[in-house]
Amino acid sequence: MSTFTVGVTGGIGSGKSSFCAFFERRGVPVFYADLESRRTINEDPSVRSAIIKLFGSSAYVKGELDRAAISAIVFSDKAKLDAMTAIVRPALWRRFNLWKKPITAPYVLMEAATLIENGGQEIMDHIVAVTAPEDVRIKRAMQRDGATEQQVRARVNNQMSEEDRLKHAGSIIQNGGTPEELEAQAND
């Protein structure tokens, strides 16, 4: 019997990581796609090679992806973003499948901002979308990342619309309030 997989998605600043953290504290295994994507980009030789081919040798500084420089490129050039996604996505799915293989828990979560954009609704058994008003999400992302409103809006503009994301969700979590209100929804 395979482990039931729950994909947790939402736009930048929606609170999907906070939502997943409630489950993680209860012992539910959580695969954080953004964190694992960073590891894949820095550790997988074939991914590194493809990224260098796409962006040049300056893509990596001291062995790690120059995230600020590459983000500035991909969030202003959709073709480069799509090319980067095409490199990282298959490697990330392989990493997820290897990660969950030995797990015996009844279910696992995968937290991923671009889960739907990357075909996750075809792979996950259930999709949870965490949502919040756009102004709240932008403020959270600015505080969390030390980014400007313009930088955060550029990322928002490269993500699927909330309306389209919610169409794929089996469950919707409204997160415009406090952490305690979010946790109450996680308990439901």
Side-chain angles (χ1 to χ4, degrees):
M1 183 173 87
S2 65
T3 302
F4 191 81
T5 56
V6 178
V8 179
T9 192
I12 188 169
S14 62
K16 59 197 166 297
S17 296
S18 297
F19 180 78
C20 287
F22 294 128
F23 287 91
E24 194 170 31
R25 285 193 295 273
R26 292 176 178 84
V28 175
V30 178
F31 183 90
Y32 291 96
D34 188 46
L35 175 64
E36 294 300 327
S37 177
R38 290 178 192 180
R39 288 181 179 151
T40 300
I41 286 168
N42 289 321
E43 297 171 6
D44 185 308
S46 63
V47 170
R48 287 175 65 97
S49 175
I51 289 172
I52 289 169
K53 186 175 181 181
L54 180 63
F55 296 104
S57 60
S58 63
Y60 287 85
V61 175
K62 297 181 182 173
E64 294 203 5
L65 186 74
D66 185 344
R67 290 178 44 83
I70 299 303
S71 291
I73 294 168
V74 300
F75 290 120
S76 63
D77 182 339
K78 180 126 174 56
K80 292 281 189 187
L81 176 62
D82 291 345
M84 178 83 162
T85 299
I87 292 167
V88 177
R89 179 185 347 170
L92 186 62
W93 283 120
R94 284 191 301 275
R95 195 172 187 119
F96 173 71
N97 287 324
L98 287 171
W99 170 83
K100 76 173 185 158
K101 193 171 187 171
I103 293 175
T104 59
Y107 66 100
V108 298
L109 303 181
M110 174 195 250
E111 181 269 346
T114 58
L115 184 67
I116 306 301
E117 296 94 315
N118 290 314
Q121 72 277 16
E122 304 298 326
I123 298 168
M124 297 287 126
D125 295 309
H126 185 76
I127 302 289
V128 174
V130 181
T131 187
E134 186 173 296
D135 61 324
V136 171
R137 294 187 303 117
I138 289 171
K139 182 179 177 183
R140 286 176 183 159
M142 288 170 60
Q143 290 172 340
R144 179 193 67 206
D145 300 340
T148 66
E149 182 175 347
Q150 182 180 11
Q151 290 169 323
V152 174
R153 286 195 183 279
R155 293 181 203 160
V156 168
N157 292 337
N158 277 293
Q159 291 185 341
M160 175 179 276
S161 73
E162 284 290 290
E163 181 181 335
D164 288 341
R165 184 179 296 109
L166 297 179
K167 288 178 187 175
H168 295 281
S171 301
I172 298 171
I173 302 298
Q174 300 290 339
N175 185 27
T178 67
E180 293 76 22
E181 290 168 331
L182 178 62
E183 185 171 13
Q185 290 182 76
N187 287 327
D188 286 346

